[in-house]
Amino acid sequence: MTSDHVFAALASPVRRRLLRLLLDEGAQPAGRLAVRFDMSRPSVSEHLKVLKDAGLVAETRMGRERHYRLEAAPLMEIREWLTPYERFWRERLSALGTLLDEMDDLDPDRDGFEDPNERNGEQPHD
Amino acid sequence: MTSDHVFAALASPVRRRLLRLLLDEGAQPAGRLAVRFDMSRPSVSEHLKVLKDAGLVAETRMGRERHYRLEAAPLMEIREWLTPYERFWRERLSALGTLLDEMDDLDPDRDGFEDPNERNGEQPHD
DNA sequence: ACTATACGTAGGAAATTTCCTACATATCAA
DNA sequence: TTGATATGTAGGAAATTTCCTACGTATAGT
């Protein structure tokens, strides 16, 4: 449910690959997914459970099969978490500006901020 | 080094909070970071090591202190991994179209694709 | 009613992660 | 030099993750 579950689910390469398979090839029964992995079928089933608990896949019962489909919505939380770091990429890596420069044109007020490093004062926080 | 390390590093709420602190407040010595956590100082030090191994922080020795600073570049890999899922958000969630619609105007050829679900054919893939 | 298929779950071994308390090292301050 | 400060590392306990082999359940086909 929480965003913690989503981050934790993405920590496994097997689970990321499962998501990619569902993205590229669409909803599939568990067994057809499992044969792609060098791993027992029940183990893949357990990975699917982790993804389901994170809200990243949903299952639909089709006769004796269970079709799993991608639920990409929770990935938005990851993207949102990532957003505040983007300005850092622009500071450090000026070389790949293509996409970011396009966004610049759209949202020009992202310029002119202070570098949060190089700071040294007391931290009255917390 | 690999992108696996980055995903794994982000799986811990403690490490995500460390990154956020460095983003919001700038580079800091390990001890000042540690007191923010309800956890022993050496444990925070170990979390910093995981972040360092993932390339997400770098350290600079300042006398007897070690200042840790954010290295946001590896987060780009996460964002890139996320990108192909974005069209799914637009299918399912039409409500938040603001940003995505702006990107639409820039990159109009993202329209008109088939739903990867609702497929049923054989999978010659491996 | 049978048998085969598709799948999840139980139970457990092995590996990994997370956290702790010492402890060692390096620097600063007197 | 001596003592305090800042920090990483060693070693280990506890929790969690990952994977396996049975095994149980439900559906489909005959």
Side-chain angles (χ1 to χ4, degrees), chain A residues 36-53:
Chain A
R36 308 293 207 82
F37 293 84
D38 189 21
M39 180 186 303
S40 77
R41 181 195 54 73
S43 294
V44 175
S45 215
E46 280 164 350
H47 280 294
L48 284 169
K49 182 182 170 57
V50 173
L51 291 171
K52 198 176 90 178
D53 291 347

Side-chain angles (χ1 to χ4, degrees), chain A residues 88 91-92 115-119, chain B residues 22 25-27 68-70:
Chain A
F88 246 74
E91 288 176 42
R92 307 270 163 180
D115 189 335
N117 289 323
E118 319 299 337
R119 231 197 264 178
Chain B
L22 293 177
E25 308 176 2
Y68 285 89
R69 67 172 180 282
L70 179 66

Side-chain angles (χ1 to χ4, degrees), chain B:
Chain B
M1 288 292 197
T2 84
S3 168
D4 279 18
H5 293 352
V6 183
F7 275 105
L10 295 183
S12 154
V14 171
R15 290 191 289 266
R16 291 199 302 280
R17 189 171 156 217
L18 278 167
L19 293 178
R20 190 67 91 204
L21 284 171
L22 293 177
L23 176 70
D24 291 345
E25 308 176 2
Q28 295 178 47
R32 189 177 339 158
L33 289 165
V35 294
R36 307 293 207 84
F37 292 84
D38 190 20
M39 181 186 303
S40 78
R41 182 195 53 75
S43 293
V44 175
S45 213
E46 280 164 350
H47 281 295
L48 284 168
K49 180 181 171 59
V50 173
L51 290 171
K52 197 176 91 180
D53 291 346
L56 286 164
V57 305
E59 66 179 40
T60 306
R61 297 172 118 103
M62 301 262 299
R64 58 185 158 180
E65 298 178 338
R66 296 196 191 182
H67 281 59
Y68 285 89
R69 67 172 180 282
L70 179 66
E71 285 291 333
L75 293 178
M76 279 201 307
E77 301 172 23
I78 307 295
R79 191 196 235 281
E80 282 163 17
W81 183 89
L82 230 36
T83 308
Y85 296 92
E86 290 176 13
R87 61 173 190 173
F88 245 74
W89 306 339
R90 305 208 302 169
E91 289 176 40
R92 309 267 164 184
L93 321 166
S94 53
L96 59 90
T98 18
L99 175 61
L100 292 172
D101 286 343
E102 286 175 356
M103 297 182 68
D104 235 346
D105 297 337
L106 278 171
D107 190 7
D109 72 352
R110 283 181 174 234
D111 282 332
F113 54 85
E114 295 159 28
D115 189 337
N117 289 322
E118 319 300 336
R119 232 197 263 178
N120 219 358
E122 279 310 308
Q123 305 291 141
H125 286 268
D126 190 359

Side-chain angles (χ1 to χ4, degrees), chain A residues 29-31 41-42 45 64-66 68:
Chain A
R41 181 195 54 73
S45 215
R64 58 184 160 183
E65 298 180 336
R66 298 197 189 181
Y68 285 89

